[in-house]
């Protein structure tokens, strides 16, 4: 199964992708995670991406298209993949279509998740991740047992640089201007499945599975 999770920052793409990995045994390809790792490792690509990410802007198309093309060619993607945070522009979607077509593949489902802006702000400002193992938390919806400490490895929980309110607002504007047009793009292609992202993580997962099966 070749799947795209589409939706604004904080809608739950990463959370849902992790559950789908366990269910289907296919990898999650998160361009955000790959870029953050490059920033942390101080690679040339990370140095180029950092300024864009810190301000909430998109990293240039050619950088992310190259990342995804390389990742899709790897062995673990041959039985399927979950794209999380890619594509984010029409040129990225066109490039993805060409890369997949060259591999004799196509996208089966684009799951478009949505919740209102107030909920997005609550989810993003309260999100925390372990600086050591990367496990995800939310201060209200998925808190750790001890505040600020990871349940799994006792690492310190930190807030993402781009989860400050001003940057979040910019990310939401960028989403509306550059990524939301992909909803119509994939609707026209006949692969769009719209799912309400409001509800418990488990309920949203159930709705995603139902949308895919339908
Ligand atoms: P990226 O990392 O992709 O961030 P994003 O798309 O902004 O999405 P998020 O990771 O913020 O949100 P999410 O939908 O995954 O939500 P989550 O599951 O964590 O991109 C970051 C940056 O990298 C971009 O701004 C850009 O600069 C660059 N970039 C990345 N890809 C790019 C591309 N293709 N082109 C160009 N630039 C690119 O959930 C959020 C919180 O809500 C969590 O705390 C979670 O616990 C909680 N939560 C989740 N579901 C629920 C629920 N049902 N109920 C209650 N709480 C919930």
């Amino acid at each position: 199964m070749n799947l795209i999770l589409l939706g604004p920052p904080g809608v739950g793409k990463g959370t849902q992708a992790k559950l789908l990995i366990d269910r289907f045994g296919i990898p999650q390809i998160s361009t955000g995670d790959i870029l953050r790792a490059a920033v942390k490792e101080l690679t040339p690509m990370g140095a180029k991406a950092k300024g864009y990410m810190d301000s909430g802007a998109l990293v240039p198309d050619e950088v992310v298209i190259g990342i995804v093309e390389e990742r899709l060619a790897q062995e673990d993607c041959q039985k399927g993949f979950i794209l999380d945070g890619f594509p984010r522009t029409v040129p990225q979607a066109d490039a993805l279509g060409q890369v997949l077509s060259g591999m004799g593949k196509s996208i089966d489902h684009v799951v478009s998740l949505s919740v209102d802006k107030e909920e997005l702000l609550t989810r993003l400002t309260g999100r925390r991740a372990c600086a050591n193992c990367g496990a995800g938390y939310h201060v209200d919806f998925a808190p750790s047992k001890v505040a600020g400490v990871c349940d799994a490895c006792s690492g310190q929980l930190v807030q993402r640089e781009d989860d400050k309110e001003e940057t979040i607002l910019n990310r939401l504007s960028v989403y509306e201007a550059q990524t939301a047009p992909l909803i119509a793009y994939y609707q026209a292609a006949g692969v769009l499945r719209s799912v309400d992202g409001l509800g418990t993580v488990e309920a949203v997962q159930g709705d995603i599975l139902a949308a895919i099966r339908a």
Side-chain angles (χ1 to χ4, degrees):
M1 182 177 62
N2 303 331
L3 179 74
I4 293 173
L5 291 179
L6 182 66
V11 78
K13 303 181 295 296
T15 302
Q16 295 299 330
K18 291 197 170 49
L19 297 179
L20 292 167
I21 295 174
D22 294 341
R23 183 169 288 269
F24 293 109
I26 54 176
Q28 168 196 19
I29 304 175
S30 161
T31 41
D33 286 351
I34 294 169
L35 289 166
R36 274 185 293 280
V39 170
K40 201 172 170 187
E41 288 160 20
L42 304 173
T43 68
M45 182 177 75
K48 190 171 178 185
K50 188 176 183 335
Y52 296 102
M53 296 175 79
D54 285 351
S55 70
L58 293 184
V59 173
D61 285 338
E62 64 273 17
V63 175
V64 279
I65 290 167
I67 291 173
V68 172
E69 188 170 5
E70 205 174 289
R71 187 66 187 84
L72 286 173
Q74 290 174 14
E75 183 58 32
D76 65 334
C77 293
Q78 301 322 306
K79 283 191 192 154
F81 50 81
I82 304 158
L83 283 167
D84 161 12
F86 182 93
R88 261 176 146 99
T89 63
V90 169
Q92 289 182 20
D94 287 341
L96 174 65
Q98 281 171 18
V99 168
L100 290 177
S101 155
M103 301 168 91
K105 297 179 181 180
S106 59
I107 292 295
D108 299 309
H109 309 281
V110 176
V111 174
S112 170
L113 291 167
S114 57
V115 300
D116 60 52
K117 187 173 170 183
E118 203 176 316
E119 175 75 10
L120 293 175
L121 279 166
T122 305
R123 288 187 183 183
L124 289 171
T125 51
R127 175 165 58 184
R128 300 290 182 272
C130 176
N132 181 44
C133 73
Y137 296 89
H138 189 282
V139 292
D140 298 318
F141 306 137
S144 56
K145 288 183 189 128
V146 178
V149 179
C150 179
D151 293 345
C153 74
S154 301
Q156 189 194 358
L157 301 189
V158 294
Q159 187 173 33
R160 243 168 69 175
E161 275 300 315
D162 59 351
D163 277 349
K164 310 278 157 51
E165 187 157 343
E166 193 185 312
T167 315
I168 292 170
L169 292 174
N170 192 31
R171 286 163 63 201
L172 294 177
S173 306
V174 167
Y175 172 81
E176 284 305 326
Q178 300 193 58
T179 309
L182 293 180
I183 295 173
Y185 181 103
Y186 284 116
Q187 176 111 53
V191 290
L192 190 81
R193 327 279 176 235
S194 297
V195 172
D196 185 353
L198 202 58
T200 64
V201 169
E202 295 72 24
V204 175
Q205 177 77 186
D207 289 347
I208 290 175
L209 295 174
I212 289 172
R213 287 181 183 134

